[in-house]
Amino acid sequence: MSDSIILAGFSNLELVDFHYHIEWESWKDSFIDLSAKKGEKTRRLRFNGVSNLKIQEGFSGSLSGMLVVDISARQWDSSRIEVQNIEQDPGITFFAHSMEIINDT
């Protein structure tokens, strides 16, 4: 089984805003808003139904190793998206039910 990359292109983008909302009664209502910027380029994403968030110790805000991967072929009820860190430097990883691109300019 090969998962396909939905979104890469985070090279040289730095994390400028990160909000994680936990809904204790329903994981489906938990979300992450993530904003990254490099010069005039801004990317803002919302991940819905977030689980298994891991922020590695020493994470500096660099997103260059971040990939958003479609894992729907795994047929998990709660997760269709995986955010991976493919660099050796500390990063962030998590699973999500869905993703929206709010802004990509």
Side-chain angles (χ1 to χ4, degrees):
M1 173 179 16
S2 177
D3 299 324
S4 60
I5 296 172
I6 296 173
L7 192 58
F10 287 92
S11 183
N12 298 320
L13 290 175
E14 295 292 323
L15 184 65
V16 292
D17 198 17
F18 184 89
H19 292 276
Y20 182 32
H21 173 79
I22 299 171
E23 187 60 48
W24 296 109
E25 294 181 16
S26 172
W27 63 267
K28 292 178 183 179
D29 295 325
S30 296
F31 66 86
I32 287 176
D33 280 343
L34 183 149
S35 296
K37 190 169 187 171
K38 166 82 172 164
E40 297 299 314
K41 181 172 179 64
T42 301
R43 176 171 281 165
R44 182 169 173 232
L45 307 173
R46 173 169 276 192
F47 297 91
N48 297 298
V50 173
S51 63
N52 292 56
L53 171 64
K54 294 179 185 163
I55 302 173
Q56 295 173 318
E57 185 175 344
F59 175 59
S60 68
S62 174
L63 300 176
S64 63
M66 185 173 142
L67 292 179
V68 180
V69 179
D70 178 353
I71 61 167
S72 59
R74 298 180 191 180
Q75 298 182 346
W76 296 353
D77 288 338
S78 61
S79 300
R80 295 184 179 152
I81 305 287
E82 181 179 8
V83 174
Q84 302 174 347
N85 177 31
I86 59 168
E87 296 291 327
Q88 67 183 21
D89 295 331
I92 56 176
T93 61
F94 56 89
F95 293 101
H97 189 264
S98 64
M99 179 194 80
E100 302 171 59
I101 298 174
I102 306 297
N103 183 25
D104 198 8
T105 58

